[in-house]
Amino acid sequence: METKYNIVKQAIMSKILDGTIRPNQKISSETELMNEFNVSRHTVRLAIGDLVTRGWLYRTQGAGTFCADRLHNESNTNSDSAKTIAIITTYISDYIFPSIIRGAEAYLSENGYHVTLFSTNNNHDDERKFLEKVISRQFDGVIVEPTRSAFSNPNIKYYLNLERLKIPYLMINAYYDELEPISLTMDDEKGGFLQTEHLIKQGHRNIVGFFKTDDIQGTKRMKGYLKAHRTYEVPLNPNHIITYNTAEKKDKPTEELRKLLAKNNQDTPTAIVCYNDELAINLLDVIRGMGLKVPDNISIVGYDDSFLSNVSEVKLTTVEHPKSEMGKAAGKVIIDLIKDKNKAEGKIESIVYEPKLIVRNSTKELKE
Amino acid sequence: METKYNIVKQAIMSKILDGTIRPNQKISSETELMNEFNVSRHTVRLAIGDLVTRGWLYRTQGAGTFCADRLHNESNTNSDSAKTIAIITTYISDYIFPSIIRGAEAYLSENGYHVTLFSTNNNHDDERKFLEKVISRQFDGVIVEPTRSAFSNPNIKYYLNLERLKIPYLMINAYYDELEPISLTMDDEKGGFLQTEHLIKQGHRNIVGFFKTDDIQGTKRMKGYLKAHRTYEVPLNPNHIITYNTAEKKDKPTEELRKLLAKNNQDTPTAIVCYNDELAINLLDVIRGMGLKVPDNISIVGYDDSFLSNVSEVKLTTVEHPKSEMGKAAGKVIIDLIKDKNKAEGKIESIVYEPKLIVRNSTKELKE
DNA sequence: TCCGATTTGTTCGTATGTATG
DNA sequence: GCATACATACGAACAAATCGG
């Protein structure tokens, strides 16, 4: 797959898919491509030849090579036969995503659609690759969980191209600010606020917060954590905010917590706000390992109400996440969007779910 | 029209049309054609390449160029349009299935396929519905985790129809005995044996076994449990075998265990063999609820080495399941099957994974 | 209408890599 | 292990079509 002509081919296809080259527009000449990719003319011709036979390009001797108008031609093959929705998530198999996917799959399946899955592993390159597939194969609709939503997205062009091609899409859990798409999210700031408020009301004053900051959810939950401190006029110790990203998620938070708990002084945290249940369970292990008890020595609040929160010997206090309900709603909204494609828009709107705290026994009133 | 490659092309086409070259018969090699027509290799390749993209010929590296079976070819126009694999599992979102699916998705995605998911919720009607879809939509291949594999399957006809239509399929985790399909499974009987043997070697004599018996895996693991007892000449208490099915899985095992632990006599179990980790975690809760400790008062062995086995305060002794490796292998095998569709079969074979016991701290030497 | 620069079309030669039998 | 056959890649040359001036 790493052949030179394939690289050239993919590059040309990308430009078509992301809208840089539009139907009937001339692409770079063979000589230009030779220089651009440092390959021989033969290689360039192999790549172009393949795309010509596949219907992506057409050539005219003396004039140049042009982008074919294939999008209109192919639309009829799929119109009534396919009924397929693409779901692009960061991880299909981890944590709460399976529940979301199942909710969507069940609803879509009932309504005669089927579901094709792609997981980006939180990687923009993969996200691009899948968006290309979605565009070229003309799915009927796309449900996307944005990859690294806290950062500006290099694939914005592809999303705009989806709009241009009138392929309905919506985003779940988070969305890229630049796009303002239809989305299903929860009020993560309020969620973070609820987590922290609960602990403050229980008398905790040294509350450490762990937040994954490469997606919007994490930064918003952190914002809620800060707001709760301000609202209740609890002074904030800057050392008690730990941020991490996906790559660091295995080691950094556990190490940081170990450090914090090791030095035993009046600043030692008595409670922990976690980005999610997965992290909470990991931190629980650290706490156990240091001979401390939850909730007697330290309280901990998770987020998402995942299966993990009920699995350990300490049932986690956590924030409810709609999960399969959100998946089902996503299925419903995407079908509505598909049906409404030709009509006047307006009715279909984004949904924001209200977070709700679920109190179990990982948190406890602080006694002096 | 008098280009050299056109002359070569016409010559080859003539031979095919007049029957000199028949379907799947090898045509002259590139070198032979070079000499025959006094042209360069490049020219020969141009001619052949064109005929390949038109579906007249196919090439195999190292073997030669062959006449295509054009009748069969017309049905799919497969150049790059489809490339979709269906995965039918019992539950897409629970337990170890997400890992298996991810393994498959990752591999298939790398190889230009995409994956469409169906979950039967262990229901034969849904399974039938999805098999119909697969057949009518002409997927390139199907990966199936059988629904209620311990029972005879009312959908056998559909699987036979897959074979008739030459849609490659394979089964994972279990297979229907009547079909003998290509499959990826583990040696569940040996797995059950290892679970039980481990406990017997630790001195346990009252070992209760919980098995889900509506799939083959459960019945085989039970067989292994029985065999271990026979091998080590440990008398078997019939009350110590608890079977349940999917519908009962929430309540029956926990209630049965409560009953067993309640009556405190010399027959009270000192160890538990579980159908899987999920059940083990549920039973752990029961044990905790009755004020008993694992592994001090009672030992417990899980199965599958799922994330659950590492989540609780007691890390489970369990049996390794290949999971994502199995998923990846499934992807590889199904692609092999697709590529081999036209050729002679034989090379591609089922895989049986050897189980391996992972000893953690939910089991302990029994002291009298 | 023709010219010349550009661009694609056809053809040759050569070399190395990789899969098959 | 070896010969065979296809796969990828470099280079060069000339032909034919297009297009702006």
Side-chain angles (χ1 to χ4, degrees), chain A residues 29 39 69 74 110 144 173 193 218 279 287 302 307 313 323 327:
Chain A
S29 75
V39 295
D69 199 344
E74 264 191 342
E110 270 171 32
V144 186
N173 279 345
F193 184 88
L279 177 72
I287 295 168
F307 55 85
E313 83 285 12
K323 290 192 283 288

Coordinates of all heavy atoms in Angstrom, one line a residue, chain A residues 29 39 69 74 110 144 173 193 218 279 287 302 307 313 323 327:
Chain A
S29 N -0.6 19.2 -14.0 CA -0.2 18.4 -15.2 C 0.8 17.3 -14.7 O 1.3 17.4 -13.6 CB 0.6 19.3 -16.1 OG 1.8 19.7 -15.6
V39 N 8.7 11.8 -8.5 CA 8.6 10.5 -9.1 C 8.7 10.7 -10.6 O 8.7 11.8 -11.2 CB 7.3 9.8 -8.8 CG1 7.2 9.5 -7.3 CG2 6.1 10.7 -9.2
D69 N -17.2 14.5 -13.0 CA -18.4 14.8 -12.3 C -19.1 13.5 -11.9 O -20.2 13.2 -12.3 CB -19.3 15.7 -13.2 CG -20.3 16.4 -12.4 OD1 -20.5 16.1 -11.2 OD2 -20.9 17.4 -12.9
E74 N -23.1 8.9 -9.6 CA -23.2 7.8 -8.7 C -24.4 7.9 -7.8 O -24.8 6.9 -7.2 CB -21.9 7.6 -7.9 CG -21.0 6.6 -8.5 CD -19.9 6.3 -7.6 OE1 -19.6 7.1 -6.6 OE2 -19.2 5.3 -7.8
E110 N -34.2 -0.9 13.4 CA -35.6 -1.0 13.4 C -36.2 -0.2 12.2 O -37.3 -0.6 11.7 CB -36.2 -0.4 14.7 CG -36.4 -1.4 15.8 CD -36.7 -0.6 17.1 OE1 -37.4 0.4 17.0 OE2 -36.3 -1.1 18.1
V144 N -21.0 11.5 13.9 CA -19.6 11.7 14.2 C -19.4 12.0 15.7 O -20.1 12.9 16.2 CB -19.0 12.8 13.4 CG1 -17.5 12.9 13.6 CG2 -19.3 12.7 11.9
N173 N -21.6 14.1 21.7 CA -20.6 14.3 22.8 C -19.9 15.6 22.8 O -19.7 16.3 23.8 CB -19.6 13.2 22.9 CG -20.1 11.9 23.6 OD1 -21.1 12.0 24.2 ND2 -19.4 10.8 23.5
F193 N -19.6 21.0 37.4 CA -20.1 21.8 38.6 C -20.8 21.0 39.6 O -20.5 21.0 40.8 CB -21.1 22.9 38.1 CG -21.6 23.9 39.1 CD1 -20.9 25.0 39.4 CD2 -22.7 23.6 39.9 CE1 -21.3 25.9 40.4 CE2 -23.1 24.5 40.9 CZ -22.4 25.6 41.1
G218 N -13.7 17.5 28.5 CA -12.7 17.7 29.6 C -12.6 19.2 30.0 O -12.6 19.5 31.2
L279 N -11.1 6.8 34.7 CA -10.1 7.4 35.5 C -10.3 7.1 37.0 O -9.3 6.7 37.7 CB -9.9 8.9 35.2 CG -8.9 9.5 36.1 CD1 -7.5 9.2 35.5 CD2 -9.0 11.1 36.1
I287 N -5.2 4.6 45.3 CA -5.6 4.9 46.7 C -5.5 3.6 47.5 O -4.9 3.6 48.6 CB -7.0 5.4 46.7 CG1 -7.0 6.8 46.0 CG2 -7.5 5.6 48.1 CD1 -8.4 7.3 45.7
G302 N -16.9 10.2 40.0 CA -16.7 9.8 38.6 C -17.6 10.6 37.7 O -18.2 11.6 38.1
F307 N -20.7 1.2 33.4 CA -20.7 -0.1 34.1 C -19.6 -0.1 35.1 O -19.8 -0.8 36.1 CB -20.6 -1.2 33.1 CG -19.3 -1.1 32.2 CD1 -18.1 -1.5 32.7 CD2 -19.4 -0.5 31.0 CE1 -17.0 -1.4 31.9 CE2 -18.3 -0.4 30.2 CZ -17.1 -0.8 30.7
E313 N -15.8 -2.7 44.5 CA -16.4 -2.9 45.8 C -17.0 -1.6 46.3 O -18.0 -1.6 47.1 CB -15.4 -3.5 46.8 CG -14.5 -2.5 47.5 CD -13.4 -2.1 46.6 OE1 -13.5 -2.3 45.4 OE2 -12.5 -1.4 47.1
K323 N -26.0 8.0 27.3 CA -25.5 6.8 26.5 C -26.5 6.3 25.5 O -26.6 6.8 24.4 CB -25.1 5.7 27.6 CG -23.9 6.0 28.3 CD -23.4 4.8 29.1 CE -24.2 4.5 30.4 NZ -24.0 5.4 31.5
G327 N -27.6 7.6 21.8 CA -27.5 6.8 20.6 C -28.8 6.7 19.8 O -28.8 7.0 18.6

